[in-house]
Amino acid sequence: MEASVEQGIAWQIKINRERRGLSQSDLAKILNTKQSAVSRLEDTEYGAHSLETLLSVAKAFDCALQVRLVSYSQLAIRSEKLTPDDLFAAPFSAEKELFHG
């Protein structure tokens, strides 16, 4: 379970950063940190993501952060959906256009 969470969040950060056209250095500037800190966030073995940091990353990506307690079976089901499209969180600004034309 822990490995799944660690890998999933690391992959999500990397995919969302890349899909937004940001380098690790670009994201580091937005987060007011160093490139090496972003590299750690994208490391699937890091596993020390704080809620505060994840909220900052979500804000930088203009998307929401959801933290939930789920059953192991639900975790297994969600862990099967790991394509870049599954892990990409569209920015709110893009979604807003869908609802307000």
Side-chain angles (χ1 to χ4, degrees):
M1 176 198 65
E2 290 176 25
S4 175
V5 172
E6 291 167 5
Q7 290 173 354
I9 196 65
W11 290 335
Q12 281 188 293
I13 292 169
K14 183 176 182 178
I15 287 166
N16 279 277
R17 176 184 58 76
E18 290 175 344
R19 291 243 177 136
R20 285 165 171 79
L22 299 171
S23 67
Q24 287 184 343
S25 295
D26 294 334
L27 181 55
K29 287 177 189 169
I30 295 167
L31 296 173
N32 196 30
T33 191
K34 297 180 180 177
Q35 177 273 328
S36 59
V38 173
S39 180
R40 277 193 305 276
L41 292 174
E42 294 181 359
D43 182 346
T44 59
E45 295 180 13
Y46 175 58
H49 302 91
S50 72
L51 188 54
E52 180 181 352
T53 298
L54 294 177
L55 286 165
S56 295
V57 170
K59 183 177 179 181
F61 290 155
D62 189 28
C63 67
L65 174 68
Q66 182 179 53
V67 178
R68 298 176 65 178
L69 299 173
V70 297
S71 65
Y72 282 100
S73 60
Q74 285 297 313
L75 179 63
I77 290 167
R78 291 178 185 183
S79 295
E80 291 179 3
K81 297 180 178 185
L82 297 176
T83 69
D85 287 340
D86 292 325
L87 298 178
F88 177 70
F92 179 67
S93 57
E95 289 188 318
K96 196 167 48 173
E97 293 172 10
L98 293 174
F99 296 108
H100 299 291

